[in-house]
Amino acid sequence: MASVFLWRAAARRLLLSLLPPPGRAAARGAGSALPAALLRRGGLVGGRWVEAAAAFPVRDPASGAELGQVADCGVAEARAAVRAAHGAGAAWSRLPAKERSALLRKWYDLMIENKDDLAKIITAENGKPLKESQGEVLYSASFLEWFAEEARRVYGDVIPASATDRRILVLKQPVGVSAIITPWNFPSAMITRKVGAALAAGCTVVVKPAEDTPLSALALGELANQAGIPAGVYNVVPCSRQQTPAVGEVLCTDPLVAKISFTGSTATGKILLKHAAGTVKRVSMELGGHAPFIVFDSANVDRAVAGALASKYRNSGQTCVCTNRFLVQKGIHDKFVEKFAKAIESKLHVGNGFDAKTTQGPLINEKAVEKVERHISDAVSQGASIVTGGKRHSLGKNFFEPTLLSNVTTKMLCTQEETFGPLAPVIKFETEEEAIAIANAANVGLAGYFYSQDPAQIWRVAEQLEVGMVGINEGIISSVEGPFGGVKQSGLGREGSKYGIDEYLEIKYVCFGGL
């Protein structure tokens, strides 16, 4: 199948994917030119840049301007990528861990060398402020560095046997071809956090990036090729929203795919789980969050406000671990709301991501803006008050003012659904038990935060919060060293840390007898 596909695509390939289309290599924001050396428009299959029968536009969310056309890969291209990954799997898995480590390290080095250009691509297609994009590139690269080191630490085991003529060994081996399906909010880091672990373990991958942000995934592919990652080890199949269901189904049902790793909504995760069940694939899911941020009376208010600002408004509230519900104890509530509002108004600046003073870029699309508006309208209709913000920004249809609501109750949509936007609803509570009950009422549990200076309370709350990650007196918790993942309907498995590589390994028991 792969050879048929490559033969049919040969006439259309001809390096068209190697260059950006004329006149389309510039981001419309701040007149900042995108790096032609890293812009790719084709899919990456078996080490080659390939086209598809059609293409789809990638747009700047700040202006709506087209950044370029990317190959709209479909079922044929997805199956070809799976077969390319499968074909490369045996040699890659047999490669000594030291050599896989060196290749991952080279890929990391190239990311660092090209960090400014990679950041420009992220800001152009995602809209986040350039400073945040630069931070994402370093965060993204750190996973390649980390797993380059972890590749040499995949240890087996020797277990004492009950019989004198036997020895019991435990081997860890790569699970096989892994399908990597990633979101638009961190278009680089969500790839390397998965792919770094997979490649370190000896797996090969097929990446399906979000339709809004495929350029970052393709830029990583170009650097992977430059680093000497063998053909077929890292494959990318970009596709439009229309093609996504069919491509996703192929990746989840093809018998040659052994593992699915997905970051996205809980609803989509459930669909992928159903598809994967038919062939009983290994699955990792990092799904929706609904993070509580609890401020107790004993908290340092200024530190809590600083943590709240960072946790809520990074990437304009479009992160899976950003705070979605603020719970503030009665004795400190008014002071917190007042200081939080002042911080929002003085420290947050809405603008194009390429503007140096911008801290709040656009939302990814108008649908995201409409959800924020719906949550605000619902809350206000039930008695909530707009402290600051509350409407679209004059800069354009995808821009929204950072918003703070007070007098919020648990009956409002913004406390029941993940907003994924710059909206901070504040609920007043009286007792610790009440706060814990509200925080744990959600059917998801990715991250949770709280501020307190009471040591006994800190231990109680940290242990009782039903989430996979807890920030204590800290609003930003993501790090390469920490295991990232949730509980309940926030997903399965962990990424990053020393535990992340285990998601791509099988344990094999070997009984050596007759000794």
Side-chain angles (χ1 to χ4, degrees), residues 385-452:
S385 302
I386 298 175
V387 181
T388 187
K391 62 183 185 298
R392 297 194 189 205
H393 197 278
S394 59
L395 280 175
K397 65 180 183 179
N398 289 346
F399 290 89
F400 204 91
E401 296 176 345
T403 301
L404 176 63
L405 299 180
S406 64
N407 300 320
V408 173
T409 71
T410 57
K411 295 182 179 180
M412 299 172 183
L413 276 179
C414 60
T415 67
Q416 299 173 357
E417 299 177 351
E418 186 178 27
T419 303
F420 230 64
L423 171 60
V426 179
I427 301 169
K428 184 188 296 185
F429 72 89
E430 294 191 5
T431 67
E432 178 184 314
E433 292 74 18
E434 179 188 1
I436 295 296
I438 294 172
N440 289 343
N443 62 5
V444 293
L446 189 57
Y449 310 86
F450 69 93
Y451 277 69
S452 171

Side-chain angles (χ1 to χ4, degrees), residues 4 24 44 112 186 221-222 227 237 252 288 362 382 426 437 439 444 455 497 514:
V4 172
R24 285 181 180 167
L44 180 59
I112 297 302
F186 287 91
E222 169 60 25
V237 284
C252 290
Q382 296 188 60
V426 179
V444 293
S497 79

Side-chain angles (χ1 to χ4, degrees), residues 224-263:
N225 281 353
Q226 291 181 24
I229 301 295
V233 172
Y234 177 86
N235 304 275
V236 186
V237 284
C239 65
S240 65
R241 185 170 280 104
Q242 291 72 30
Q243 290 275 28
T244 290
V247 170
E249 184 172 352
V250 167
L251 296 180
C252 290
T253 59
D254 193 304
L256 295 182
V257 174
K259 161 83 180 183
I260 305 293
S261 181
F262 169 72
T263 295

Side-chain angles (χ1 to χ4, degrees), residues 67-421:
L67 298 170
Q69 296 272 330
V70 171
D72 193 4
C73 295
V75 169
E77 292 83 358
R79 292 201 185 282
V82 169
R83 277 146 186 76
H86 185 261
W92 180 251
S93 66
R94 288 196 300 265
L95 200 66
K98 182 179 180 180
E99 294 184 31
R100 292 200 301 270
S101 174
L103 288 168
L104 284 170
R105 178 70 196 204
K106 179 59 177 176
W107 196 4
Y108 161 80
D109 289 339
L110 287 171
M111 284 194 70
I112 297 302
E113 289 175 20
N114 292 273
K115 61 182 186 298
D116 292 335
D117 287 344
L118 292 170
K120 289 178 182 178
I121 292 174
I122 292 173
T123 291
E125 64 180 350
N126 170 278
K128 68 176 63 176
L130 187 59
K131 186 176 181 180
E132 286 193 20
S133 295
Q134 291 166 342
E136 179 181 344
V137 172
L138 295 179
Y139 181 55
S140 176
S142 72
F143 287 105
L144 297 183
E145 179 186 39
W146 175 267
F147 285 113
E149 297 164 353
E150 289 298 293
R152 302 183 69 180
R153 302 190 183 111
V154 178
Y155 304 128
D157 207 350
V158 177
I159 302 172
S162 57
T164 59
D165 63 344
R166 293 182 181 180
R167 297 294 183 268
I168 296 176
L169 309 176
V170 175
L171 307 181
K172 290 185 178 180
Q173 297 180 312
V175 67
V177 175
S178 300
I180 308 296
I181 305 175
T182 58
W184 50 261
N185 58 338
F186 287 91
S188 181
M190 295 302 96
I191 292 174
T192 58
R193 191 163 70 186
K194 300 171 186 294
V195 169
L199 268 57
C203 299
T204 56
V205 300
V206 178
V207 177
K208 206 296 286 183
E211 60 272 11
D212 295 299
T213 56
L215 299 179
S216 292
L218 297 172
L220 287 174
E222 169 60 25
L223 294 180
N225 281 353
Q226 291 181 24
I229 301 295
V233 172
Y234 177 86
N235 304 275
V236 186
V237 284
C239 65
S240 65
R241 185 170 280 104
Q242 291 72 30
Q243 290 275 28
T244 290
V247 170
E249 184 172 352
V250 167
L251 296 180
C252 290
T253 59
D254 193 304
L256 295 182
V257 174
K259 161 83 180 183
I260 305 293
S261 181
F262 169 72
T263 295
S265 72
T266 298
T268 301
K270 290 178 179 179
I271 293 172
L272 299 182
L273 281 169
K274 289 180 180 178
H275 285 319
T279 47
V280 196
K281 299 187 189 304
R282 284 278 295 276
V283 176
S284 297
M285 296 272 163
E286 193 261 280
L287 306 177
H290 190 37
F293 188 109
I294 307 170
V295 185
F296 291 103
D297 282 342
S298 68
N300 180 311
V301 177
D302 291 332
R303 287 189 62 183
V305 167
L309 204 68
S311 176
K312 174 68 258 185
Y313 294 106
R314 183 167 59 116
N315 198 17
S316 298
Q318 299 174 116
T319 80
C320 52
V321 293
C322 77
T323 298
N324 208 62
R325 304 167 287 159
F326 287 90
L327 286 65
V328 184
Q329 199 158 13
K330 183 178 181 180
I332 208 172
H333 173 275
D334 293 351
K335 186 177 182 181
F336 174 86
V337 170
E338 178 185 357
K339 289 194 170 189
F340 195 15
K342 289 181 179 178
I344 291 169
E345 293 166 356
S346 64
K347 295 183 178 181
L348 300 183
H349 303 279
V350 179
N352 188 289
F354 286 102
D355 188 332
K357 68 180 180 182
T358 294
T359 65
Q360 302 289 286
L363 274 68
I364 192 64
N365 53 42
E366 193 168 13
K367 184 178 179 181
V369 175
E370 290 170 353
K371 186 174 185 180
V372 177
E373 288 180 320
R374 186 167 66 253
H375 280 192
I376 293 173
S377 176
D378 171 78
V380 170
S381 72
Q382 296 188 60
S385 302
I386 298 175
V387 181
T388 187
K391 62 183 185 298
R392 297 194 189 205
H393 197 278
S394 59
L395 280 175
K397 65 180 183 179
N398 289 346
F399 290 89
F400 204 91
E401 296 176 345
T403 301
L404 176 63
L405 299 180
S406 64
N407 300 320
V408 173
T409 71
T410 57
K411 295 182 179 180
M412 299 172 183
L413 276 179
C414 60
T415 67
Q416 299 173 357
E417 299 177 351
E418 186 178 27
T419 303
F420 230 64

